[in-house]
């Protein structure tokens, strides 16, 4: 174990206890991971959502061997008060990580950094360390694990008995996901091994853990039993840090010649495929509570054979039963659910999936030009307001080097263009701001916008929000070099920031992120200065549907509107129309919005900029 690890404070919300879990479930999940990792690197605080919480009762009954402290919301560091919990903050109170996935991934990384022998913990992040890294707004899988399943289970547990007869749709979606074919790195090799096993009629015998999980330096009870698939053999071999036997690895000539399209598909062993990952850690406490409550209500879980099998299988993973014991989870044994009669299985193809219904004009020929023509016929053309201060510029030569975007690996030409882009945003923010304002730099990346604003406006508080940890760390390093004390750094998805602010800024927010920023500003009744980017990535999501404005919706369907996003030759006009739709949508919610071209336009191919002010 490495010494002198900087202490960090972990803040978890606490609403109530139900049976053997702490609610909200995000807190139970966080405590379960801490127990699984045997992590003592964080000072843990529970933040009650109500009053009259018994400190001694919480410490004795809810948190196992973890030392916890109770703290009221008003006692939280200011940066944490602006975030949804769970959240982790470094002692200086300037750098905060918020949101379930971000916090859990950080716990894993810190555990492994402190003890590099814990490769089992590092493996939870999956192939290329990307498990649950994508934000919930763009990743359906992250959203299902991080948001939908916990909320569905909480709703299921608190619903009246007469409303608990049906399985929540999100649970059914997970069952369907577990039945989908698995795609993993190097799966061609594993699929050929599976084909060979099928042809040989073989069954793989792999070690399965008995009541005691494998622990350092301890003798454990291990016994073998036949498992029904090669997938299980591969999965548990990795958990045991060993290879699949040579007899399984060798392939005959006719197996090697088999086309990839003719190879058998792989089945799920764990939530993301063959290997035990953070997704299983997140889902396990949720599904446990769901199954416990269902059993108490006398419900037959025969319609969820895959979830039930997965739940049993996770219990066999080394360390899971021990972690569950620390968290006072009384695990169920459900052998009767492992082999449900086919005639009782639910047809999961009937589970509703969001489908975008289109009312298309069958005579309309798609493409950007016909789309633009259709809009022009209805009196709609791209509109650009004059730039309020086209010649305004910062005196970059007089600024400290750490303020300049040229710091780092950026080429000289690119740094110049970045400075020109920043001139436009800083000019607009300077005109809107007043002393004491809170300015939020959304999708801040390495902090090019936020650091300039914090340096130029010392009387304002600047908050940088970014999902990518390394980018935010680079930004904090630059800020520390400058000695800025009016700046916070929050690693989180936008939805986990709920602080009040006066101005929102974003430079080249990618695709739907532009609309997320504008929506966040509108909800806060804050002004915004936003430069969009990556129009080709605009797509309908759970929260955002296109077109955005009622004027465009009356003329274009989503499919026709999307033609504007992929135009290359007509880029400026098409981008202008997409942004006009965004501007009109904001104006429909009591904002005055201008769409401006940055000066000089050569500073970027994506040179549009919104300036929105609440009316």
């Amino acid at each position: 174990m490495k010494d002198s690890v900087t202490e960090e404070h972990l803040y978890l919300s606490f609403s109530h206890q139900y049976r053997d879990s702490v609610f909200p479930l995000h807190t139970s999940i966080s405590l379960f991971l801490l127990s699984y990792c045997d992590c003592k690197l964080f000072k843990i605080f529970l933040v009650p959502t109500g009053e009259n919480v018994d400190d001694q009762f919480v410490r004795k009954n809810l948190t196992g061997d973890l030392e916890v402290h109770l703290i009221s919301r008003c006692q939280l560091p200011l940066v944490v008060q602006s975030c949804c919990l769970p959240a982790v903050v470094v002692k200086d109170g300037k750098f905060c990580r918020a949101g379930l996935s971000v916090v859990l991934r950080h716990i894993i990384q810190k555990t492994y950094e402190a003890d590099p022998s814990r490769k089992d913990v590092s493996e939870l992040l999956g192939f290329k360390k990307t498990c649950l890294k994508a934000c919930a707004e763009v990743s359906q899988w992250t959203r299902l694990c991080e948001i939908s399943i916990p909320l569905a289970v909480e709703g299921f547990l608190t619903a009246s008995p007469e409303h608990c007869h049906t399985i929540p749709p999100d649970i059914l979606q997970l069952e369907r996901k577990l039945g989908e074919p698995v795609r993993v790195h190097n799966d061609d090799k594993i699929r050929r091994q599976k084909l060979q096993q099928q042809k040989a009629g073989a069954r793989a015998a792999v070690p399965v853990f008995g009541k005691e999980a494998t622990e350092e330096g301890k003798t454990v009870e291990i016994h073998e039993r036949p498992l029904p698939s090669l997938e299980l053999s591969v999965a548990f071999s990795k958990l045991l840090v060993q290879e699949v036997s040579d007899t399984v690895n060798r392939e005959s000539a006719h197996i090697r010649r088999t086309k990839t399209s003719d190879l058998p598909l792989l089945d799920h062993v764990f939530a993301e495929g063959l290997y035990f990952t953070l997704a299983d850690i997140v889902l396990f406490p949720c599904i446990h509570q769901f199954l416990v409550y269902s059993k108490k209500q006398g419900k037959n879980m025969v319609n969820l054979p895959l979830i039930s099998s997965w739940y049993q299988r996770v219990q066999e993973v080394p360390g899971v039963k021990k972690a569950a014991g620390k968290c006072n989870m009384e695990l169920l044994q459900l052998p009767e659910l492992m082999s449900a009669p086919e005639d009782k299985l639910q047809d999961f193809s009937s589970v509703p999936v969001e489908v975008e219904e289109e009312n298309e004009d069958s005579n309309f020929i798609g493409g950007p030009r016909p789309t633009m023509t259709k809009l022009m016929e209805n009196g709609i053309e791209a509109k650009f307001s004059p730039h309020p201060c086209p010649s305004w510029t910062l005196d970059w030569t007089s600024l400290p080097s750490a303020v300049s975007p040229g710091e780092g690996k950026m080429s000289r030409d690119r740094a110049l263009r970045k400075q020109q882009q920043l001139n436009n945003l800083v000019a607009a923010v300077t005109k809107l701001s007043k002393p004491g304002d809170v300015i939020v730099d959304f999708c801040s990346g390495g902090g090019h916008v936020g650091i300039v604003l914090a340096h130029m406006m010392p009387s304002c508080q600047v908050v940088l929000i970014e999902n990518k940890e390394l980018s935010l760390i680079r930004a904090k390093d630059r800020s520390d070099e400058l000695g800025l004390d009016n700046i916070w750094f929050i690693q989180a998805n936008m939805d986990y920031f709920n602080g009040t602010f006066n101005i929102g800024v974003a430079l080249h927010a990618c695709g739907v992120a532009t609309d997320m920023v504008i929506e966040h500003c509108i909800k806060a009744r804050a002004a915004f200065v936003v430069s969009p980017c990556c129009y080709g990535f605009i797509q309908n999501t759970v929260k955002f549907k296109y077109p955005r404005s009622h004027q465009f919706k009356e003329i274009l369907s989503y499919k026709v509107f999307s033609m504007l996003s992929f135009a290359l030759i007509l880029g400026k006009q098409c981008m202008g129309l997409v942004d006009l739709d965004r501007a009109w949508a904001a104006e429909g919610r009591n904002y005055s919005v201008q769409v401006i071209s940055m000066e000089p336009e050569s500073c970027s191919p994506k040179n549009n900029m919104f300036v929105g002010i609440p009316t």
Side-chain angles (χ1 to χ4, degrees), residues 59-299:
R59 294 188 187 190
K60 183 178 178 181
N61 295 282
L62 303 184
T63 55
D65 65 345
L66 296 171
E67 181 182 352
V68 300
H69 310 267
L70 259 64
I71 185 174
S72 65
R73 182 133 194 124
C74 64
Q75 293 175 299
L76 293 174
L78 290 175
V79 66
V80 179
Q81 291 184 30
S82 298
C83 300
C84 298
L85 303 183
V88 172
V89 69
V90 187
K91 251 187 172 181
D92 68 1
K94 289 186 177 181
F95 196 112
C96 177
R97 294 170 173 87
L100 185 67
S101 294
V102 166
V103 168
L104 297 185
R105 287 176 57 85
H106 182 62
I107 291 171
I108 290 170
Q109 289 165 354
K110 295 296 288 186
T111 301
Y112 183 63
E113 286 173 10
D115 185 1
S117 69
R118 294 299 307 273
K119 296 195 185 304
D120 60 321
V121 173
S122 177
E123 291 290 345
L124 290 175
L125 297 179
F127 182 62
K128 292 188 176 180
K129 312 302 179 189
T130 57
C131 182
L132 302 187
K133 187 176 182 180
C135 69
E137 184 54 50
V138 298
S139 168
Q140 292 182 359
W141 175 244
T142 300
R143 185 173 188 83
L144 183 68
C145 296
E146 183 181 36
I147 299 174
S148 302
I149 293 289
L151 288 179
V153 173
E154 288 176 3
F156 186 76
L157 297 181
T158 56
S160 56
E162 60 269 20
H163 293 104
C164 297
H165 295 304
T166 57
I167 299 172
D170 294 306
I171 300 292
L172 296 179
Q173 186 180 354
L174 176 61
E175 176 76 10
R176 188 173 66 251
K177 286 281 186 185
L178 293 175
E180 294 175 354
V182 172
R183 296 288 297 177
V184 295
H185 174 64
N186 203 25
D187 70 348
D188 184 270
K189 177 181 177 181
I190 302 173
R191 289 168 67 189
R192 291 184 191 280
Q193 293 170 1
K194 182 173 182 177
L195 178 62
Q196 179 156 309
Q197 185 189 78
Q198 289 177 345
K199 288 185 177 296
R203 294 279 180 174
V206 302
V208 175
F209 297 92
K211 293 184 179 179
E212 297 296 326
T214 298
E215 302 294 341
E216 294 181 14
K218 293 183 181 178
T219 304
V220 296
E221 175 192 355
I222 297 181
H223 45 113
E224 293 201 357
R225 75 179 183 203
L227 289 171
S229 71
L230 179 76
E231 291 91 327
L232 284 166
S233 175
V234 170
F236 277 87
S237 292
K238 183 168 184 177
L239 288 169
L240 285 166
V241 197
Q242 65 186 37
E243 295 296 328
V244 184
S245 65
D246 290 339
T247 56
V248 177
N249 285 334
R250 283 197 295 269
E251 300 170 2
S252 57
H254 75 281
I255 297 293
R256 289 195 297 272
R257 289 195 297 268
T258 303
K259 294 179 180 179
T260 301
S261 58
D262 295 332
L263 294 174
L265 298 174
L266 300 178
D267 299 321
H268 275 263
V269 177
F270 295 110
E272 289 201 343
L274 298 186
Y275 306 122
F276 185 70
T277 66
L278 178 58
D280 298 283
I281 293 284
V282 171
L283 293 170
F284 189 69
C286 302
I287 297 303
H288 168 72
Q289 283 301 322
F290 171 75
L291 292 176
V292 167
Y293 186 78
S294 297
K295 186 176 182 181
K296 181 184 176 184
Q297 297 295 317
K299 294 182 174 59

Side-chain angles (χ1 to χ4, degrees), residues 317-366:
V317 173
V320 166
K321 287 183 178 178
K322 182 178 179 181
K326 290 180 180 179
C327 295
N328 302 314
M329 294 169 61
E330 297 180 9
L331 301 180
L332 300 177
Q333 298 300 316
L334 307 170
E336 71 276 8
L337 297 178
M338 300 289 282
S339 54
E342 288 189 11
D343 60 341
K344 291 188 178 181
L345 297 184
Q346 181 168 335
D347 177 12
F348 291 102
S349 62
S350 64
V351 177
V353 179
E354 279 198 44
V355 178
E356 183 68 24
E357 294 184 6
E358 297 288 350
N359 297 316
E360 299 290 354
D361 181 354
S362 57
N363 297 319
F364 181 74
I365 301 173

